[in-house]
Amino acid sequence: MRLIVGQLQVNCYILADEETKEAIVIDPGDDVDDILSIIRDKGLTVKYIINTHAHFDHVGANAQLKKATGAEILLHEADAALLSSSSGQAGMFGMKAEPSPPADRYIRDGDIITAGEVSLTVLHTPGHSSGGICLIEDGMVFTGDALFAGSIGRTDRPGGDLMTLINSIKTKLLDMPDDTRVFPGHGPDSTIGEEKRENPFLNQESGFA
Ligand SMILES: [Zn+2]
Ligand SMILES: [Zn+2]
């Protein structure tokens, strides 16, 4: 299920196995009380907190959620330095974010992370940040700030690079079946087919094709 958290309206996703009640939380950016109330209501045990990347709007509730659940924080190593600067990043936007503890484990391209029957495959998709990842689960992909409905992530912050991001999306995401559902880090969901046809950064006229 999706929950929109924080001032920058991040999509936080909670994936759970109905039977074992084990869960994974993707991008707990803020509003830990809302996240925890769902977890308690549904009787979930959070095994992992996965950050698609370490911008503060995606990691702001890491510390509190870890404290409350004991879950491990997973991140791509190339974003480790970014994670340690997360509360400084928030300051630059005139916002506050609690510092995140370091990752418990670094994850890389091809890793599979499971909680009961939930199984996420990691795709390293740098370009928005160096350690940006997407996560694939049966017919769905969680794209963080790499790919949005009708847009792509900004590349003007440290670790960002436009051609790297376009290349990540083309080589890692666009070869998935057209009906794969896309769940981005901000905004509404989409499908791979729709993005191939409609996304101005990715279609034939973009100049990037
Ligand atoms: Zn970001
Ligand atoms: Zn973001």
Side-chain angles (χ1 to χ4, degrees):
M1 69 160 298
R2 166 165 48 191
L3 188 69
I4 299 172
V5 297
Q7 297 174 76
L8 295 184
Q9 305 261 294
V10 166
N11 293 324
C12 168
Y13 298 98
I14 302 172
L15 310 178
D17 182 309
E18 305 256 316
E19 211 132 282
T20 67
K21 304 286 182 191
E22 290 171 303
I24 295 173
V25 178
I26 301 175
D27 288 350
D30 201 352
D31 300 333
V32 74
D33 293 337
D34 296 346
I35 299 171
L36 284 173
S37 85
I38 292 170
I39 287 164
R40 289 198 187 109
D41 280 359
K42 303 204 179 285
L44 304 177
T45 306
V46 182
K47 240 178 123 180
Y48 300 115
I49 296 164
I50 308 179
N51 297 132
T52 58
H53 64 296
H55 285 147
F56 78 94
D57 52 323
H58 296 255
V59 307
N62 274 10
Q64 291 164 293
L65 189 59
K66 182 179 171 63
K67 203 167 149 204
T69 63
E72 283 186 23
I73 296 173
L74 309 183
L75 177 79
H76 192 283
E77 190 167 9
D79 264 13
L82 205 56
L83 185 66
S84 61
S85 76
S86 59
S87 77
Q89 298 166 38
M92 288 169 52
F93 284 80
M95 297 178 193
K96 279 201 178 129
E98 196 177 333
S100 171
D104 294 285
R105 183 150 65 86
Y106 293 123
I107 48 179
R108 57 175 92 169
D109 196 77
D111 282 357
I112 294 171
I113 299 150
T114 59
E117 292 285 303
V118 178
S119 166
L120 294 171
T121 303
V122 176
L123 288 180
H124 183 209
T125 51
H128 173 66
S129 69
S130 313
I133 58 164
C134 295
L135 297 158
I136 305 176
E137 153 78 297
D138 242 356
M140 301 187 275
V141 60
F142 298 88
T143 56
D145 286 0
L147 177 64
F148 301 123
S151 187
I152 61 173
R154 42 193 292 185
T155 52
D156 56 347
R157 296 203 226 151
D161 181 74
L162 179 60
M163 289 322 293
T164 305
L165 179 59
I166 299 268
N167 188 52
S168 289
I169 294 170
K170 293 206 152 165
T171 57
K172 299 275 177 76
L173 300 180
L174 294 190
D175 59 358
M176 287 192 263
D178 277 3
D179 61 357
T180 307
R181 296 185 69 193
V182 173
F183 294 99
H186 302 268
D189 53 66
S190 182
T191 63
I192 289 293
E194 227 171 286
E195 294 315 305
K196 263 196 222 165
R197 285 188 308 271
E198 311 285 345
N199 192 312
F201 292 92
L202 304 173
N203 64 19
Q204 298 295 330
E205 292 88 57
S206 69
F208 299 126

